[in-house]
Amino acid sequence: MEAVILKERENQIYIKGEKPFNIVCDKDSLAGAVSQRACVFCGSRVVLYPIADALHLVHGPIGCAVYTWDIRGALSSGPELHRLSFSTDLQEMDVIFGGEKKLRQALLELIDRHNPKAAFVYSTCIVGIIGDDLEAICRQVEREKGIPVIPVKSEGFKGNKRAGYKAACDAMFRLIGTGGTSNISKFSLNILGDFNLAGEIWMIREYYERMGIEVVANITGDGRVDDIRRAHGAALNVVQCSGSTMQLANMMEEQYGVPSMRVSYFGVEDMSEALYDIARFFKKKFPGDREADAIMERTMALVQEEVRNLMPGLEKYRKALAGKKAAIYVGGSFKAFSLVKAFRLVDMQVVLVGSQTGTEEDYRELEAITDPGTIIVDDSNPLELTSFLKEKGVDIFVGGVKERPIAYKLGIGFCDHNHERKEVLAGFEGMLNFAREVYSSVMSPVWRFVPRAKSME
Ligand code: SF4
């Protein structure tokens, strides 16, 4: 391995099989390491952003709002207020004399103009430094306008992206429990941690409908304020991206007794297991209930039908891709588990896997499902990733917007599994899309025209 790993980061990298499992994670990024992580504010913004009928106001300099504008596609089936990026545009005089007046005026004007169901006000670095009282301004405006106005305590410097997830969960929790729960089926759930980047939440909802389960709220994708207010009436929280929303699920369990379940919608194995786990949950909760039995039967039929339709198409890609090498670097490691399994389904080998925010438990699980020699890395940086990709002779790199240039500079195929994706990669249909995309990238003739082999030397 090239000497690009800073000494202080050595214990955040583990090579499977070299020594007993040990990885340090869940800590602040090392200064100077140019982490791939985003700031606290960005973490909170990505979680709350898909609430489409809420006003999202970034209290800070314009750059913070620009940096996160439309950061994820987060499609909406109705209102699109979330796609407008509002900012108080704090300037030098506001920093000296305080930005509270400006914030109040901006909120009043925006609420009058856009008539949102609720407003989220994000705190950025400078607001934490000058000490504007967001809580007080939000309370005043809430009284005046009669809609929830919720401060998001997300000053960029106060931790890493995980702290932003927590700030978003705290903000959302203030909405939950404020709506009526009558007429909610006992076979019901909330979807947490899917951001509806390319419409996957609509597909997942359709699966649940086919199973006979009511979806009360899509909390983090195509979200609506009124649904979130009554989310405590659902029988179950189904959490995908656990790093971002598990804390909200835990708070709901503690206060309202709603249990939660971690799932993944990526890959055939995990998608099927998610649906079966939910059907099993209702069977166990309502033993002997005929509807619970019917849900299980409908789930089995659904999985069988979807897998039957998918497999012939997948075979062509499996034959072409067998033996090729893949690298994965994503935000949350739960997605990484599914990607490892998805690559295995097309006989590809994962040689590098890492995440921005994984926990020790997550990495332990990754260690269990990867092959010997696989590099497992926490909170990596461009230099390290470049070195690993070259060393392993990778054919495709899966990541988000910040990983894309690393791959292209090396002449390696890239698959966006995050921010800028426009095609569904979740669910059964998504597995076929994923295989097709990997196939198109890896087998593309374009690699003949880039100095790929040379850069890998
Ligand atoms: S909150 Fe702070 S770290 Fe985050 S974008 Fe704004 S200035 Fe940068």
Side-chain angles (χ1 to χ4, degrees), residues 38-42 58 61 63-65 67-68 123-126 154-157:
C39 72
V40 175
F41 155 66
C42 181
V58 182
C64 304
Y67 165 51
T68 53
S123 185
T124 55
C125 286
I126 195 65
S154 54
E155 296 82 3
F157 57 70

Side-chain angles (χ1 to χ4, degrees), residues 170-244:
D170 288 342
M172 242 181 311
F173 194 59
R174 291 165 75 142
L175 271 183
I176 290 168
T178 58
T181 56
S182 56
N183 302 328
I184 293 180
S185 162
K186 64 181 183 177
F187 301 105
S188 57
L189 54 78
N190 297 314
I191 304 174
L192 280 77
D194 186 285
F195 298 95
N196 205 36
L197 304 183
E200 31 303 82
I201 233 165
W202 302 326
M203 195 172 66
I204 303 297
R205 276 188 75 116
E206 198 242 336
Y207 293 160
Y208 291 142
E209 275 158 27
R210 281 163 68 186
M211 289 162 67
I213 295 171
E214 178 185 346
V215 177
V216 180
N218 320 319
I219 293 194
T220 54
D222 196 13
R224 298 290 180 277
V225 170
D226 287 345
D227 293 345
I228 295 170
R229 295 178 84 145
R230 65 201 288 268
H232 58 298
L236 177 67
N237 277 328
V238 179
V239 184
Q240 178 169 239
C241 177
S242 56
S244 64

Side-chain angles (χ1 to χ4, degrees), residues 57 87-88 101-111:
L57 175 59
S87 166
T88 47
K101 237 186 186 162
K102 203 171 185 184
L103 172 62
R104 194 181 122 77
Q105 275 163 1
L107 271 171
L108 293 174
E109 187 183 329
L110 288 168
I111 292 171

